[in-house]
Amino acid sequence: MHQILSQILHFLQQGIAAIFRFVELIWTWSVEQVARLASVPWGDWPILKVILLVILVAAIVWALWQVFWELWIGAERVLSAFAGLVVVFVHTLPRVLLAGVIALAGLWLMNHLDNSLMQVPTSLQVWQQQPTQPQPATQQE
């Protein structure tokens, strides 16, 4: 069972790592393209190319704003989920403490009760009694 769980966790870890590698690849490629666009010598371009560049920059800023907003909402949800998890951990502490106290009390009882008080009388120990064999009746003549 431990090996199956370990394999499942390893598979999930590899899948998540592959997703993050793909995301990193897309981000790196996109940043390179934006950097290449930013480094073009637009100073000596005709006005129509400059207007096109301004439109492209506006579209890039809009797309990055959308990315920023989604990341902001995602981070907020992750923080909220983490806070909820912490609240659940704190909320369960009294029951966990109660389980520990019950275990401690049980351990104390097992170690300190006199074993002679716990013995079942031999007359009630049916599992240790030998069954009595019926005696054949002897006939008198």
Side-chain angles (χ1 to χ4, degrees), residues 115-127:
N115 288 342
S116 64
L117 296 175
M118 299 296 187
Q119 291 180 354
V120 178
T122 55
S123 62
L124 296 178
Q125 293 179 1
V126 293
W127 60 89

Side-chain angles (χ1 to χ4, degrees), residues 69-116:
W69 190 250
E70 285 189 39
L71 287 174
W72 180 263
I73 291 171
E76 182 181 335
R77 288 179 181 164
V78 166
L79 185 58
S80 175
F82 181 74
L85 181 64
V86 169
V87 167
V88 168
F89 281 152
V90 171
H91 183 72
T92 59
L93 280 179
R95 282 175 250 152
V96 171
L97 183 62
L98 179 62
V101 167
I102 291 170
L104 177 65
L107 185 62
W108 185 88
L109 280 173
M110 296 299 163
N111 288 329
H112 289 87
L113 282 180
D114 186 13
N115 288 342
S116 64

Side-chain angles (χ1 to χ4, degrees), residues 17-86:
I19 290 170
F20 277 107
R21 281 192 303 272
F22 181 72
V23 168
E24 179 187 18
L25 177 72
I26 297 296
W27 274 78
T28 303
W29 180 84
S30 294
V31 167
E32 287 174 3
Q33 301 310 311
V34 171
R36 286 177 56 194
L37 181 64
S39 67
V40 295
W42 58 272
D44 55 347
W45 283 359
I47 190 70
L48 289 177
K49 278 192 173 181
V50 172
I51 291 172
L52 180 61
L53 179 64
V54 168
I55 292 171
L56 290 173
V57 168
I60 291 169
V61 167
W62 173 82
L64 291 178
W65 174 256
Q66 295 294 319
V67 168
F68 170 76
W69 190 250
E70 285 189 39
L71 287 174
W72 180 263
I73 291 171
E76 182 181 335
R77 288 179 181 164
V78 166
L79 185 58
S80 175
F82 181 74
L85 181 64
V86 169

